[in-house]
Amino acid sequence: MLNITSIVEIIQLMLAPGIMISACGLLLLGMNNKYSLVVNRIRLLNEERRRVVHKTDDGNFNYQENQRLESISMQITSLVFRVKLVRNAVLCYTTAVALFVLTSLSIGFGYLLDITKLNSLITILFLLGMISVLCGVIFAAYETFKGYEIVNFEVRIDE
């Protein structure tokens, strides 16, 4: 029979992955906002490209229209790459959440069923969750770097 002290201990053990779930939730919220912003920017650029292309009936563009179309194409290509990085970060964070949930469940079932063999699995699940968070952070950092490159490109084109 479980006593109150052991129940409190098991709940405390299960809270560590729970805190990581909350942290990943915050990271996911930020990345989903970034994802929306980048997708909206791609849509705006596509709309601008359509307007420039439809403005001329014969397909002959002047120098400024040609330069703007090239700029839009380069920006869209870069933004699509950024969306992939954001997607990868979101997938890593989501995977981490799943691993942390499995870690908490394994702690609970391992203690409840008195299965000490689960200790290695619990540690592996938690470490895989942390590795997944690290991968998400790396994707997010790389996406931020690529975003800075795009802004520099836009500023150089407009000068």
Side-chain angles (χ1 to χ4, degrees), residues 73-104:
S73 294
M74 292 275 280
Q75 289 179 59
I76 288 174
T77 301
S78 297
L79 288 169
V80 167
F81 183 72
R82 279 184 68 192
V83 165
K84 289 178 185 176
L85 292 174
V86 172
R87 177 207 58 198
N88 291 347
V90 167
L91 288 174
C92 287
Y93 294 148
T94 305
T95 300
V97 168
L99 289 166
F100 292 136
V101 169
L102 288 173
T103 301
S104 285

PDB file of all heavy atoms in Angstrom, residues 73-104:
ATOM      1  N   SER A  73      10.767  37.237 -55.993  1.00  0.00           N
ATOM      2  CA  SER A  73      11.090  35.811 -56.125  1.00  0.00           C
ATOM      3  C   SER A  73      12.163  35.379 -55.133  1.00  0.00           C
ATOM      4  O   SER A  73      12.045  34.320 -54.502  1.00  0.00           O
ATOM      5  CB  SER A  73      11.544  35.492 -57.547  1.00  0.00           C
ATOM      6  OG  SER A  73      10.481  35.679 -58.441  1.00  0.00           O
ATOM      7  N   MET A  74      13.194  36.205 -54.981  1.00  0.00           N
ATOM      8  CA  MET A  74      14.258  35.885 -54.016  1.00  0.00           C
ATOM      9  C   MET A  74      13.707  35.864 -52.591  1.00  0.00           C
ATOM     10  O   MET A  74      14.045  34.977 -51.803  1.00  0.00           O
ATOM     11  CB  MET A  74      15.388  36.906 -54.128  1.00  0.00           C
ATOM     12  CG  MET A  74      16.162  36.849 -55.418  1.00  0.00           C
ATOM     13  SD  MET A  74      17.453  35.638 -55.336  1.00  0.00           S
ATOM     14  CE  MET A  74      18.684  36.562 -54.447  1.00  0.00           C
ATOM     15  N   GLN A  75      12.863  36.840 -52.265  1.00  0.00           N
ATOM     16  CA  GLN A  75      12.301  36.903 -50.913  1.00  0.00           C
ATOM     17  C   GLN A  75      11.390  35.712 -50.636  1.00  0.00           C
ATOM     18  O   GLN A  75      11.448  35.122 -49.553  1.00  0.00           O
ATOM     19  CB  GLN A  75      11.532  38.212 -50.721  1.00  0.00           C
ATOM     20  CG  GLN A  75      12.437  39.420 -50.639  1.00  0.00           C
ATOM     21  CD  GLN A  75      11.632  40.696 -50.479  1.00  0.00           C
ATOM     22  OE1 GLN A  75      10.879  40.815 -49.519  1.00  0.00           O
ATOM     23  NE2 GLN A  75      11.778  41.617 -51.410  1.00  0.00           N
ATOM     24  N   ILE A  76      10.579  35.349 -51.619  1.00  0.00           N
ATOM     25  CA  ILE A  76       9.673  34.212 -51.433  1.00  0.00           C
ATOM     26  C   ILE A  76      10.478  32.936 -51.224  1.00  0.00           C
ATOM     27  O   ILE A  76      10.171  32.128 -50.337  1.00  0.00           O
ATOM     28  CB  ILE A  76       8.683  34.078 -52.610  1.00  0.00           C
ATOM     29  CG1 ILE A  76       7.653  35.204 -52.539  1.00  0.00           C
ATOM     30  CG2 ILE A  76       7.987  32.719 -52.592  1.00  0.00           C
ATOM     31  CD1 ILE A  76       6.708  35.262 -53.716  1.00  0.00           C
ATOM     32  N   THR A  77      11.525  32.746 -52.011  1.00  0.00           N
ATOM     33  CA  THR A  77      12.371  31.565 -51.854  1.00  0.00           C
ATOM     34  C   THR A  77      12.974  31.517 -50.449  1.00  0.00           C
ATOM     35  O   THR A  77      12.956  30.464 -49.798  1.00  0.00           O
ATOM     36  CB  THR A  77      13.496  31.572 -52.914  1.00  0.00           C
ATOM     37  OG1 THR A  77      12.904  31.590 -54.212  1.00  0.00           O
ATOM     38  CG2 THR A  77      14.391  30.359 -52.784  1.00  0.00           C
ATOM     39  N   SER A  78      13.473  32.646 -49.980  1.00  0.00           N
ATOM     40  CA  SER A  78      14.051  32.698 -48.635  1.00  0.00           C
ATOM     41  C   SER A  78      12.997  32.473 -47.560  1.00  0.00           C
ATOM     42  O   SER A  78      13.252  31.785 -46.569  1.00  0.00           O
ATOM     43  CB  SER A  78      14.728  34.045 -48.402  1.00  0.00           C
ATOM     44  OG  SER A  78      15.799  34.224 -49.286  1.00  0.00           O
ATOM     45  N   LEU A  79      11.821  33.050 -47.754  1.00  0.00           N
ATOM     46  CA  LEU A  79      10.756  32.889 -46.764  1.00  0.00           C
ATOM     47  C   LEU A  79      10.238  31.457 -46.709  1.00  0.00           C
ATOM     48  O   LEU A  79       9.899  30.956 -45.631  1.00  0.00           O
ATOM     49  CB  LEU A  79       9.617  33.867 -47.052  1.00  0.00           C
ATOM     50  CG  LEU A  79       9.925  35.330 -46.742  1.00  0.00           C
ATOM     51  CD1 LEU A  79       8.841  36.236 -47.304  1.00  0.00           C
ATOM     52  CD2 LEU A  79      10.082  35.543 -45.249  1.00  0.00           C
ATOM     53  N   VAL A  80      10.178  30.793 -47.857  1.00  0.00           N
ATOM     54  CA  VAL A  80       9.760  29.381 -47.867  1.00  0.00           C
ATOM     55  C   VAL A  80      10.771  28.543 -47.082  1.00  0.00           C
ATOM     56  O   VAL A  80      10.390  27.648 -46.315  1.00  0.00           O
ATOM     57  CB  VAL A  80       9.584  28.865 -49.315  1.00  0.00           C
ATOM     58  CG1 VAL A  80       9.474  27.350 -49.360  1.00  0.00           C
ATOM     59  CG2 VAL A  80       8.369  29.513 -49.954  1.00  0.00           C
ATOM     60  N   PHE A  81      12.055  28.857 -47.230  1.00  0.00           N
ATOM     61  CA  PHE A  81      13.079  28.159 -46.447  1.00  0.00           C
ATOM     62  C   PHE A  81      12.871  28.421 -44.958  1.00  0.00           C
ATOM     63  O   PHE A  81      12.967  27.510 -44.133  1.00  0.00           O
ATOM     64  CB  PHE A  81      14.478  28.598 -46.900  1.00  0.00           C
ATOM     65  CG  PHE A  81      15.580  27.871 -46.188  1.00  0.00           C
ATOM     66  CD1 PHE A  81      15.842  26.541 -46.457  1.00  0.00           C
ATOM     67  CD2 PHE A  81      16.349  28.523 -45.240  1.00  0.00           C
ATOM     68  CE1 PHE A  81      16.859  25.861 -45.799  1.00  0.00           C
ATOM     69  CE2 PHE A  81      17.369  27.855 -44.575  1.00  0.00           C
ATOM     70  CZ  PHE A  81      17.624  26.530 -44.856  1.00  0.00           C
ATOM     71  N   ARG A  82      12.558  29.673 -44.607  1.00  0.00           N
ATOM     72  CA  ARG A  82      12.305  30.022 -43.206  1.00  0.00           C
ATOM     73  C   ARG A  82      11.096  29.264 -42.664  1.00  0.00           C
ATOM     74  O   ARG A  82      11.105  28.791 -41.521  1.00  0.00           O
ATOM     75  CB  ARG A  82      12.058  31.518 -43.054  1.00  0.00           C
ATOM     76  CG  ARG A  82      13.304  32.341 -43.006  1.00  0.00           C
ATOM     77  CD  ARG A  82      12.999  33.797 -42.765  1.00  0.00           C
ATOM     78  NE  ARG A  82      12.467  34.019 -41.414  1.00  0.00           N
ATOM     79  CZ  ARG A  82      11.903  35.151 -41.023  1.00  0.00           C
ATOM     80  NH1 ARG A  82      11.788  36.171 -41.853  1.00  0.00           N
ATOM     81  NH2 ARG A  82      11.460  35.278 -39.794  1.00  0.00           N
ATOM     82  N   VAL A  83      10.039  29.142 -43.461  1.00  0.00           N
ATOM     83  CA  VAL A  83       8.851  28.411 -43.013  1.00  0.00           C
ATOM     84  C   VAL A  83       9.210  26.964 -42.710  1.00  0.00           C
ATOM     85  O   VAL A  83       8.713  26.378 -41.739  1.00  0.00           O
ATOM     86  CB  VAL A  83       7.721  28.513 -44.063  1.00  0.00           C
ATOM     87  CG1 VAL A  83       6.633  27.493 -43.810  1.00  0.00           C
ATOM     88  CG2 VAL A  83       7.126  29.893 -44.063  1.00  0.00           C
ATOM     89  N   LYS A  84      10.078  26.377 -43.517  1.00  0.00           N
ATOM     90  CA  LYS A  84      10.505  25.000 -43.258  1.00  0.00           C
ATOM     91  C   LYS A  84      11.265  24.906 -41.939  1.00  0.00           C
ATOM     92  O   LYS A  84      11.092  23.942 -41.185  1.00  0.00           O
ATOM     93  CB  LYS A  84      11.365  24.481 -44.410  1.00  0.00           C
ATOM     94  CG  LYS A  84      10.577  24.226 -45.675  1.00  0.00           C
ATOM     95  CD  LYS A  84      11.476  23.773 -46.801  1.00  0.00           C
ATOM     96  CE  LYS A  84      10.677  23.642 -48.087  1.00  0.00           C
ATOM     97  NZ  LYS A  84      11.526  23.297 -49.229  1.00  0.00           N
ATOM     98  N   LEU A  85      12.104  25.892 -41.655  1.00  0.00           N
ATOM     99  CA  LEU A  85      12.830  25.890 -40.389  1.00  0.00           C
ATOM    100  C   LEU A  85      11.872  26.030 -39.205  1.00  0.00           C
ATOM    101  O   LEU A  85      12.026  25.341 -38.186  1.00  0.00           O
ATOM    102  CB  LEU A  85      13.871  27.020 -40.366  1.00  0.00           C
ATOM    103  CG  LEU A  85      15.050  26.874 -41.321  1.00  0.00           C
ATOM    104  CD1 LEU A  85      15.913  28.131 -41.304  1.00  0.00           C
ATOM    105  CD2 LEU A  85      15.886  25.651 -40.967  1.00  0.00           C
ATOM    106  N   VAL A  86      10.890  26.900 -39.340  1.00  0.00           N
ATOM    107  CA  VAL A  86       9.893  27.071 -38.271  1.00  0.00           C
ATOM    108  C   VAL A  86       9.108  25.770 -38.093  1.00  0.00           C
ATOM    109  O   VAL A  86       8.865  25.332 -36.969  1.00  0.00           O
ATOM    110  CB  VAL A  86       8.956  28.259 -38.573  1.00  0.00           C
ATOM    111  CG1 VAL A  86       7.810  28.318 -37.577  1.00  0.00           C
ATOM    112  CG2 VAL A  86       9.726  29.569 -38.558  1.00  0.00           C
ATOM    113  N   ARG A  87       8.718  25.164 -39.212  1.00  0.00           N
ATOM    114  CA  ARG A  87       8.001  23.882 -39.134  1.00  0.00           C
ATOM    115  C   ARG A  87       8.827  22.847 -38.393  1.00  0.00           C
ATOM    116  O   ARG A  87       8.319  22.125 -37.527  1.00  0.00           O
ATOM    117  CB  ARG A  87       7.682  23.383 -40.548  1.00  0.00           C
ATOM    118  CG  ARG A  87       7.009  22.015 -40.567  1.00  0.00           C
ATOM    119  CD  ARG A  87       7.269  21.250 -41.838  1.00  0.00           C
ATOM    120  NE  ARG A  87       8.682  21.052 -42.063  1.00  0.00           N
ATOM    121  CZ  ARG A  87       9.204  20.722 -43.234  1.00  0.00           C
ATOM    122  NH1 ARG A  87       8.432  20.595 -44.288  1.00  0.00           N
ATOM    123  NH2 ARG A  87      10.495  20.539 -43.373  1.00  0.00           N
ATOM    124  N   ASN A  88      10.120  22.773 -38.706  1.00  0.00           N
ATOM    125  CA  ASN A  88      10.989  21.805 -38.042  1.00  0.00           C
ATOM    126  C   ASN A  88      11.092  22.084 -36.544  1.00  0.00           C
ATOM    127  O   ASN A  88      11.088  21.159 -35.732  1.00  0.00           O
ATOM    128  CB  ASN A  88      12.385  21.824 -38.673  1.00  0.00           C
ATOM    129  CG  ASN A  88      12.374  21.264 -40.079  1.00  0.00           C
ATOM    130  OD1 ASN A  88      11.417  20.651 -40.526  1.00  0.00           O
ATOM    131  ND2 ASN A  88      13.454  21.498 -40.808  1.00  0.00           N
ATOM    132  N   ALA A  89      11.187  23.354 -36.183  1.00  0.00           N
ATOM    133  CA  ALA A  89      11.239  23.714 -34.761  1.00  0.00           C
ATOM    134  C   ALA A  89       9.947  23.306 -34.062  1.00  0.00           C
ATOM    135  O   ALA A  89       9.977  22.734 -32.965  1.00  0.00           O
ATOM    136  CB  ALA A  89      11.492  25.216 -34.601  1.00  0.00           C
ATOM    137  N   VAL A  90       8.805  23.576 -34.696  1.00  0.00           N
ATOM    138  CA  VAL A  90       7.516  23.198 -34.112  1.00  0.00           C
ATOM    139  C   VAL A  90       7.422  21.689 -33.948  1.00  0.00           C
ATOM    140  O   VAL A  90       6.967  21.189 -32.907  1.00  0.00           O
ATOM    141  CB  VAL A  90       6.351  23.751 -34.970  1.00  0.00           C
ATOM    142  CG1 VAL A  90       5.019  23.120 -34.579  1.00  0.00           C
ATOM    143  CG2 VAL A  90       6.281  25.259 -34.849  1.00  0.00           C
ATOM    144  N   LEU A  91       7.856  20.943 -34.955  1.00  0.00           N
ATOM    145  CA  LEU A  91       7.828  19.476 -34.854  1.00  0.00           C
ATOM    146  C   LEU A  91       8.728  18.975 -33.733  1.00  0.00           C
ATOM    147  O   LEU A  91       8.367  18.049 -33.003  1.00  0.00           O
ATOM    148  CB  LEU A  91       8.222  18.842 -36.187  1.00  0.00           C
ATOM    149  CG  LEU A  91       7.196  18.961 -37.307  1.00  0.00           C
ATOM    150  CD1 LEU A  91       7.756  18.423 -38.620  1.00  0.00           C
ATOM    151  CD2 LEU A  91       5.912  18.230 -36.942  1.00  0.00           C
ATOM    152  N   CYS A  92       9.895  19.596 -33.577  1.00  0.00           N
ATOM    153  CA  CYS A  92      10.800  19.196 -32.489  1.00  0.00           C
ATOM    154  C   CYS A  92      10.184  19.486 -31.126  1.00  0.00           C
ATOM    155  O   CYS A  92      10.232  18.637 -30.222  1.00  0.00           O
ATOM    156  CB  CYS A  92      12.142  19.916 -32.622  1.00  0.00           C
ATOM    157  SG  CYS A  92      13.177  19.309 -33.956  1.00  0.00           S
ATOM    158  N   TYR A  93       9.608  20.658 -30.964  1.00  0.00           N
ATOM    159  CA  TYR A  93       8.973  20.999 -29.686  1.00  0.00           C
ATOM    160  C   TYR A  93       7.782  20.086 -29.397  1.00  0.00           C
ATOM    161  O   TYR A  93       7.568  19.663 -28.264  1.00  0.00           O
ATOM    162  CB  TYR A  93       8.524  22.458 -29.667  1.00  0.00           C
ATOM    163  CG  TYR A  93       9.647  23.461 -29.717  1.00  0.00           C
ATOM    164  CD1 TYR A  93       9.480  24.685 -30.342  1.00  0.00           C
ATOM    165  CD2 TYR A  93      10.892  23.201 -29.133  1.00  0.00           C
ATOM    166  CE1 TYR A  93      10.505  25.623 -30.392  1.00  0.00           C
ATOM    167  CE2 TYR A  93      11.915  24.130 -29.175  1.00  0.00           C
ATOM    168  CZ  TYR A  93      11.712  25.341 -29.810  1.00  0.00           C
ATOM    169  OH  TYR A  93      12.725  26.261 -29.851  1.00  0.00           O
ATOM    170  N   THR A  94       6.999  19.772 -30.425  1.00  0.00           N
ATOM    171  CA  THR A  94       5.847  18.890 -30.242  1.00  0.00           C
ATOM    172  C   THR A  94       6.298  17.483 -29.867  1.00  0.00           C
ATOM    173  O   THR A  94       5.712  16.844 -28.986  1.00  0.00           O
ATOM    174  CB  THR A  94       4.986  18.861 -31.522  1.00  0.00           C
ATOM    175  OG1 THR A  94       4.619  20.197 -31.859  1.00  0.00           O
ATOM    176  CG2 THR A  94       3.744  18.026 -31.341  1.00  0.00           C
ATOM    177  N   THR A  95       7.353  17.018 -30.515  1.00  0.00           N
ATOM    178  CA  THR A  95       7.920  15.711 -30.174  1.00  0.00           C
ATOM    179  C   THR A  95       8.418  15.711 -28.725  1.00  0.00           C
ATOM    180  O   THR A  95       8.210  14.742 -27.989  1.00  0.00           O
ATOM    181  CB  THR A  95       9.079  15.356 -31.133  1.00  0.00           C
ATOM    182  OG1 THR A  95       8.569  15.329 -32.472  1.00  0.00           O
ATOM    183  CG2 THR A  95       9.703  14.026 -30.796  1.00  0.00           C
ATOM    184  N   ALA A  96       9.045  16.803 -28.325  1.00  0.00           N
ATOM    185  CA  ALA A  96       9.535  16.913 -26.945  1.00  0.00           C
ATOM    186  C   ALA A  96       8.379  16.826 -25.958  1.00  0.00           C
ATOM    187  O   ALA A  96       8.477  16.135 -24.939  1.00  0.00           O
ATOM    188  CB  ALA A  96      10.312  18.211 -26.761  1.00  0.00           C
ATOM    189  N   VAL A  97       7.283  17.511 -26.254  1.00  0.00           N
ATOM    190  CA  VAL A  97       6.110  17.445 -25.370  1.00  0.00           C
ATOM    191  C   VAL A  97       5.636  16.004 -25.238  1.00  0.00           C
ATOM    192  O   VAL A  97       5.371  15.516 -24.126  1.00  0.00           O
ATOM    193  CB  VAL A  97       4.971  18.364 -25.875  1.00  0.00           C
ATOM    194  CG1 VAL A  97       3.674  18.086 -25.140  1.00  0.00           C
ATOM    195  CG2 VAL A  97       5.358  19.827 -25.723  1.00  0.00           C
ATOM    196  N   ALA A  98       5.541  15.304 -26.358  1.00  0.00           N
ATOM    197  CA  ALA A  98       5.100  13.901 -26.321  1.00  0.00           C
ATOM    198  C   ALA A  98       6.056  13.055 -25.482  1.00  0.00           C
ATOM    199  O   ALA A  98       5.611  12.216 -24.674  1.00  0.00           O
ATOM    200  CB  ALA A  98       5.006  13.348 -27.746  1.00  0.00           C
ATOM    201  N   LEU A  99       7.356  13.272 -25.642  1.00  0.00           N
ATOM    202  CA  LEU A  99       8.336  12.508 -24.868  1.00  0.00           C
ATOM    203  C   LEU A  99       8.247  12.825 -23.376  1.00  0.00           C
ATOM    204  O   LEU A  99       8.374  11.929 -22.530  1.00  0.00           O
ATOM    205  CB  LEU A  99       9.751  12.768 -25.395  1.00  0.00           C
ATOM    206  CG  LEU A  99      10.041  12.148 -26.764  1.00  0.00           C
ATOM    207  CD1 LEU A  99      11.319  12.729 -27.351  1.00  0.00           C
ATOM    208  CD2 LEU A  99      10.143  10.632 -26.643  1.00  0.00           C
ATOM    209  N   PHE A 100       7.999  14.087 -23.037  1.00  0.00           N
ATOM    210  CA  PHE A 100       7.867  14.448 -21.628  1.00  0.00           C
ATOM    211  C   PHE A 100       6.583  13.872 -21.024  1.00  0.00           C
ATOM    212  O   PHE A 100       6.572  13.468 -19.862  1.00  0.00           O
ATOM    213  CB  PHE A 100       7.939  15.962 -21.441  1.00  0.00           C
ATOM    214  CG  PHE A 100       9.298  16.537 -21.740  1.00  0.00           C
ATOM    215  CD1 PHE A 100       9.422  17.693 -22.480  1.00  0.00           C
ATOM    216  CD2 PHE A 100      10.460  15.925 -21.288  1.00  0.00           C
ATOM    217  CE1 PHE A 100      10.662  18.232 -22.765  1.00  0.00           C
ATOM    218  CE2 PHE A 100      11.713  16.447 -21.564  1.00  0.00           C
ATOM    219  CZ  PHE A 100      11.813  17.603 -22.304  1.00  0.00           C
ATOM    220  N   VAL A 101       5.512  13.815 -21.809  1.00  0.00           N
ATOM    221  CA  VAL A 101       4.280  13.176 -21.330  1.00  0.00           C
ATOM    222  C   VAL A 101       4.537  11.692 -21.089  1.00  0.00           C
ATOM    223  O   VAL A 101       4.138  11.136 -20.050  1.00  0.00           O
ATOM    224  CB  VAL A 101       3.120  13.396 -22.331  1.00  0.00           C
ATOM    225  CG1 VAL A 101       1.928  12.509 -21.989  1.00  0.00           C
ATOM    226  CG2 VAL A 101       2.701  14.855 -22.355  1.00  0.00           C
ATOM    227  N   LEU A 102       5.212  11.038 -22.031  1.00  0.00           N
ATOM    228  CA  LEU A 102       5.553   9.618 -21.848  1.00  0.00           C
ATOM    229  C   LEU A 102       6.452   9.418 -20.631  1.00  0.00           C
ATOM    230  O   LEU A 102       6.316   8.424 -19.911  1.00  0.00           O
ATOM    231  CB  LEU A 102       6.229   9.075 -23.113  1.00  0.00           C
ATOM    232  CG  LEU A 102       5.326   8.879 -24.318  1.00  0.00           C
ATOM    233  CD1 LEU A 102       6.148   8.498 -25.544  1.00  0.00           C
ATOM    234  CD2 LEU A 102       4.270   7.813 -24.026  1.00  0.00           C
ATOM    235  N   THR A 103       7.361  10.363 -20.399  1.00  0.00           N
ATOM    236  CA  THR A 103       8.224  10.280 -19.225  1.00  0.00           C
ATOM    237  C   THR A 103       7.393  10.324 -17.949  1.00  0.00           C
ATOM    238  O   THR A 103       7.580   9.492 -17.044  1.00  0.00           O
ATOM    239  CB  THR A 103       9.245  11.437 -19.213  1.00  0.00           C
ATOM    240  OG1 THR A 103      10.043  11.368 -20.394  1.00  0.00           O
ATOM    241  CG2 THR A 103      10.156  11.364 -17.998  1.00  0.00           C
ATOM    242  N   SER A 104       6.484  11.265 -17.866  1.00  0.00           N
ATOM    243  CA  SER A 104       5.619  11.376 -16.677  1.00  0.00           C
ATOM    244  C   SER A 104       4.781  10.124 -16.476  1.00  0.00           C
ATOM    245  O   SER A 104       4.664   9.618 -15.353  1.00  0.00           O
ATOM    246  CB  SER A 104       4.696  12.586 -16.791  1.00  0.00           C
ATOM    247  OG  SER A 104       5.392  13.758 -16.555  1.00  0.00           O
TER     248      SER A 104
END
